[in-house]
Amino acid sequence: MSDERKRLAVIDYNKCSPESCGNFLCIRLCPINRQGAQCIIEDKEKNRPIISEELCTACQICSNKCPRKAISIINLTANLSQPLHQFGKNSFRVYRMPYPKKGEVVGLIGKNGLGKSTLLNILSGSLIPNLGNYKEKASLDKVIDFFAGKELSLFFKQLKEKGIKISFKPQNIDLLPEMIKGKVYDLLKKSNEKNNLTELISKLELEKILERDLKNLSGGELQRVSIAAAAGKKADIYAFDEPSSYLDVSQRLKAAELISSLANENTSVIVIEHDLALLDYLSDLVHIVFGKPAVYGVVSNPKSTRNGINEFLDGFIKDENLKFRGYELKFSVRPPADYKKKTLLGNYPSFKKSFNGFSLEVEEGKLFRAEAVGILGPNAIGKTTFVKILAGVEKADEQDVSLGLKVSYKPQYIIPEKDISVQELFDKNHVDTQLFKTQIDRRLNVSELSEKKVEQLSGGELQKVAVSLALTRSEYDLLLLDEPSAFVDAEDRVAMAETIRGVIDEKNKTAFIVDHDILFIDHVSDRLMVFSGNPSEKGFAGKPVAMHEGMNSFLNQMNISFRRDPESGRPRANKLNSVKDREQKQRGEYYYKI
């Protein structure tokens, strides 16, 4: 492949606005254009620029000078042939493809915007790859010839002949009630081809919602229904796009066990998942997907789950000698804090809250400065209610829980403001700009979103903006974050945890953080609150305790044990009933010792 073919020029036309740069600044500044050639030209029909990748010298002038950061010029370092699929001129493209293995669960790991969902659409047959030739109609015959002599050629041949049946659980389950009307039981009965509906209902705990309409389900309930519907079909390949979204830890593990059980000598499973502990728990092999979001994505060779996740965290793919990230993602091992040296911020009293047939009882606790308290527990057990009461959004039944503290609160469900850009939102809230630059933006790159309208952000982008806003508000004592990792990719979850810790330590803040990602909570927390009880009926919130005590108690309830990976430092879930799992449980050590 020539050097020219290795150069990518991608324009985000959602950002591009010729009027805002004085009418095609990129065309006027391009050195190749000034020499008389036409490297960047105007598409007069669509009023937008087009860049010739063959003529481009990657001088980066157009990219650097574009006021809306709409242009990306990339010199590929990976040894790549033509794209598997390209969406158009100067558009996103993806290279290579994962291959499903019979009897195994294959995981895909990487940042959002790298084409993972596109790959699942190709595997499912809903998208025929065009091999980079976006001007002609895509053809499976061309794809079969392209992969001649490889396993993927046989796969696409079988796909063409409809010899492969795929059951696909999509990412956007929120759209399910719009596409399908009716009750849960009717949907599951209609989609179930294995005559195992009773078993699926039991494993995913769907008994209480069978007679409810899909439009009245919560996100977690919709997720479990979608997983049950996909798992109940007869298929050769089962594909799950982010099956953990909206689920609590217990539900994630039960879903993982069900998904793992679908792989046998006749079937294979493909999973996209950002919860690294869950991906580790259910996968046999993983592909790293790397590149630049919204520009290009590349699929690595298959790797063992442990090696694949560790190479992803390292940012270095060993068998290709390729560094795709300039820094490592590390999980630090922090010894228990010495609370004799910590400053007491205040106490919150014991209190109760009752409504709609549900009651929550909270044990009194202490708050210390420069401390993050992680909160773990099932869905519908009162975690959000607890946070809302501390935030002053809800009131306790009788006890006055007002702490006299200034609070910065990021709710579980974020309602984006209309007709306002991200930058305008930050300006409106008078954020600490110095803190934003030193702690937030250097890790989360939120400034890249500054020109976007808030209502146009993706779920992960909106979450990063909301967390950044909560962290940088002026003059608060107590930080309350409800599910900050939701919709955020694996890489940004680690970065977000480090960002939260950085702000807490630098500004001497106190935080309560609700989340279902074990690795995220482990990485960010000093102490832990464990919620227990019967979901939707009665919840009990214990006082904050040391991480080892709290995590050991919580994992004991979940019947899962964790060890720490010696290379990356990340917590790893032991396979159920493995030697390590049995050894730790016999000692009563569900959580690795520091």
Side-chain angles (χ1 to χ4, degrees):
M1 184 171 64
S2 67
D3 288 342
E4 287 79 6
R5 289 293 297 160
K6 291 184 179 180
R7 185 167 297 120
L8 307 185
V10 176
I11 303 175
D12 185 341
Y13 289 116
N14 291 321
K15 294 181 180 178
C16 179
S17 174
E19 296 81 7
S20 68
C21 65
N23 199 21
F24 296 99
L25 179 63
C26 54
I27 294 178
R28 302 198 309 271
L29 293 179
C30 177
I32 306 301
N33 282 16
R34 291 184 173 187
Q35 294 172 12
Q38 290 187 315
C39 180
I40 309 180
I41 63 173
E42 177 185 352
D43 181 344
K44 294 186 178 180
E45 182 180 339
K46 297 183 178 180
N47 188 37
R48 63 189 191 183
I50 298 174
I51 301 175
S52 168
E53 293 177 351
E54 291 73 24
L55 294 177
C56 179
T57 61
C59 68
Q60 300 293 347
I61 291 176
C62 61
S63 176
N64 293 333
K65 294 296 184 179
C66 176
R68 300 179 70 88
K69 304 299 180 185
I71 300 174
S72 296
I73 307 295
I74 302 292
N75 280 319
L76 294 180
T77 55
N79 183 22
L80 301 173
S81 58
Q82 68 193 85
L84 175 69
H85 189 77
Q86 183 173 343
F87 286 90
K89 180 71 174 176
N90 297 144
S91 295
F92 177 83
R93 63 211 78 180
V94 64
Y95 294 83
R96 303 181 190 158
M97 188 169 169
Y99 185 70
K101 305 284 186 181
K102 290 190 185 304
E104 295 185 324
V105 179
V106 177
L108 302 182
I109 179 174
K111 286 181 70 67
N112 287 330
L114 294 180
K116 297 185 298 297
S117 295
T118 297
L119 292 167
L120 285 196
N121 286 330
I122 291 173
L123 282 169
S124 70
S126 61
L127 176 66
I128 299 174
N130 58 25
L131 305 175
N133 189 352
Y134 50 85
K135 294 181 180 180
E136 296 182 6
K137 185 178 180 179
S139 163
L140 279 176
D141 289 326
K142 292 180 181 178
V143 179
I144 292 167
D145 291 340
F146 179 75
F147 288 111
K150 299 178 181 179
E151 288 181 301
L152 281 169
S153 179
L154 177 61
F155 169 81
F156 281 107
K157 185 176 181 181
Q158 291 177 323
L159 187 64
K160 178 187 176 184
E161 297 170 352
K162 302 191 184 298
I164 293 179
K165 185 177 180 182
I166 297 179
S167 180
F168 182 37
K169 199 292 294 183
Q171 177 185 29
N172 297 323
I173 57 166
D174 298 350
L175 302 178
L176 187 63
E178 299 177 13
M179 298 183 292
I180 303 175
K181 308 296 182 183
K183 295 183 178 181
V184 170
Y185 183 78
D186 295 334
L187 165 65
L188 294 179
K189 185 177 181 181
K190 184 177 180 180
S191 64
N192 189 265
E193 300 170 346
K194 295 181 178 178
N195 295 320
N196 65 341
L197 184 53
T198 301
E199 177 186 354
L200 293 175
I201 290 171
S202 176
K203 285 185 175 181
L204 294 173
E205 299 177 338
L206 299 173
E207 294 89 348
K208 294 182 180 180
I209 64 170
L210 292 177
E211 295 304 315
R212 287 169 56 186
D213 283 337
L214 291 171
K215 64 181 180 181
N216 296 325
L217 299 184
S218 68
E221 291 164 344
L222 274 174
Q223 186 71 271
R224 286 181 286 144
V225 169
S226 299
I227 292 170
K233 294 179 181 178
K234 292 180 179 179
D236 301 293
I237 299 174
Y238 294 88
F240 294 86
D241 196 345
E242 298 190 31
S244 76
S245 298
Y246 300 108
L247 301 185
D248 64 38
V249 175
S250 175
Q251 293 166 346
R252 291 181 186 200
L253 294 176
K254 290 173 182 176
E257 290 170 3
L258 174 61
I259 291 170
S260 296
S261 71
L262 297 174
N264 57 45
E265 64 274 9
N266 297 315
T267 62
S268 55
V269 178
I270 300 281
V271 177
I272 294 174
E273 183 52 62
H274 294 303
D275 183 332
L276 294 183
L278 189 68
L279 186 71
D280 193 2
Y281 187 74
L282 66 84
S283 297
D284 301 296
L285 298 169
V286 298
H287 292 270
I288 299 170
V289 185
F290 61 94
K292 183 174 181 179
V295 179
Y296 76 104
V298 184
V299 180
S300 77
N301 295 323
K303 304 170 184 301
S304 69
T305 301
R306 177 180 180 272
N307 289 339
I309 292 178
N310 282 351
E311 288 185 19
F312 168 75
L313 294 173
D314 289 342
F316 179 72
I317 299 176
K318 293 180 179 178
D319 61 345
E320 298 187 49
N321 193 31
L322 175 68
K323 196 167 188 65
F324 62 89
R325 193 192 315 114
Y327 55 91
E328 299 179 11
L329 302 175
K330 282 289 186 183
F331 290 84
S332 58
V333 182
R334 290 192 308 277
D338 184 356
Y339 282 89
K340 293 180 181 179
K341 298 180 180 179
K342 290 238 179 212
T343 303
L344 182 68
L345 176 65
N347 300 322
Y348 62 88
S350 60
F351 62 87
K352 295 181 180 179
K353 176 67 176 179
S354 302
F355 56 91
N356 298 330
F358 175 78
S359 64
L360 171 66
E361 183 179 346
V362 177
E363 189 176 8
E364 65 179 330
K366 294 182 178 181
L367 302 176
F368 293 90
R369 291 192 179 276
E371 179 188 54
V373 179
I375 297 178
L376 285 173
N379 281 333
I381 204 69
K383 301 186 303 299
T384 292
T385 298
F386 169 75
V387 171
K388 283 183 174 181
I389 289 173
L390 290 188
V393 177
E394 297 274 3
K395 299 292 184 183
D397 288 345
E398 298 176 0
Q399 180 73 35
D400 181 12
V401 188
S402 175
L403 304 179
L405 302 174
K406 294 181 179 179
V407 175
S408 181
Y409 172 47
K410 199 287 295 181
Q412 179 182 15
Y413 298 110
I414 307 166
I415 301 174
E417 291 192 40
K418 302 290 186 182
D419 300 320
I420 186 172
S421 71
V422 171
Q423 185 60 57
E424 291 168 341
L425 178 67
F426 277 87
D427 292 341
K428 175 183 175 181
N429 284 273
H430 307 290
V431 301
D432 184 334
T433 55
Q434 183 62 29
L435 183 66
F436 178 81
K437 290 178 181 178
T438 58
Q439 290 288 359
I440 312 294
D441 201 39
R442 70 184 181 89
R443 293 189 179 103
L444 296 177
N445 298 315
V446 178
S447 61
E448 292 185 354
L449 307 172
S450 59
E451 296 295 329
K452 272 192 170 184
K453 293 292 186 181
V454 175
E455 69 264 29
Q456 295 174 348
L457 298 176
S458 68
E461 291 171 339
L462 183 62
Q463 194 71 256
K464 289 200 296 182
V465 168
V467 170
S468 299
L469 188 61
L471 288 169
T472 53
R473 285 195 180 102
S474 300
E475 299 181 359
Y476 66 88
D477 304 295
L478 183 61
L479 175 68
L480 303 172
L481 301 176
D482 198 347
E483 297 195 29
S485 80
F487 308 110
V488 178
D489 63 51
E491 184 171 328
D492 277 337
R493 288 186 187 194
V494 178
M496 183 180 286
E498 292 175 348
T499 301
I500 295 169
R501 276 247 57 100
V503 172
I504 288 170
D505 293 337
E506 179 182 327
K507 296 296 183 180
N508 220 23
K509 303 298 185 183
T510 303
F512 278 104
I513 302 166
V514 178
D515 214 274
H516 295 300
D517 187 324
I518 291 285
L519 270 70
F520 184 86
I521 287 291
D522 176 87
H523 196 35
V524 77
S525 304
D526 297 290
R527 290 190 296 164
L528 200 65
M529 280 185 72
V530 177
F531 280 60
S532 57
N534 297 315
S536 301
E537 296 178 11
K538 186 180 180 80
F540 174 77
K543 64 182 179 181
V545 296
M547 281 294 293
H548 185 269
E549 178 185 347
M551 196 68 84
N552 210 43
S553 171
F554 176 73
L555 294 177
N556 188 359
Q557 295 178 33
M558 300 296 104
N559 192 33
I560 185 173
S561 61
F562 273 77
R563 66 192 187 280
R564 188 176 279 278
D565 185 83
E567 289 185 19
S568 65
R570 65 185 171 91
R572 294 192 69 199
N574 295 315
K575 298 291 185 182
L576 187 64
N577 294 323
S578 66
V579 174
K580 193 72 174 176
D581 182 55
R582 294 197 303 270
E583 286 179 351
Q584 287 187 215
K585 288 176 178 176
Q586 285 173 0
R587 299 196 309 268
E589 290 292 344
Y590 289 76
Y591 185 63
Y592 58 84
K593 279 193 172 181
I594 295 178

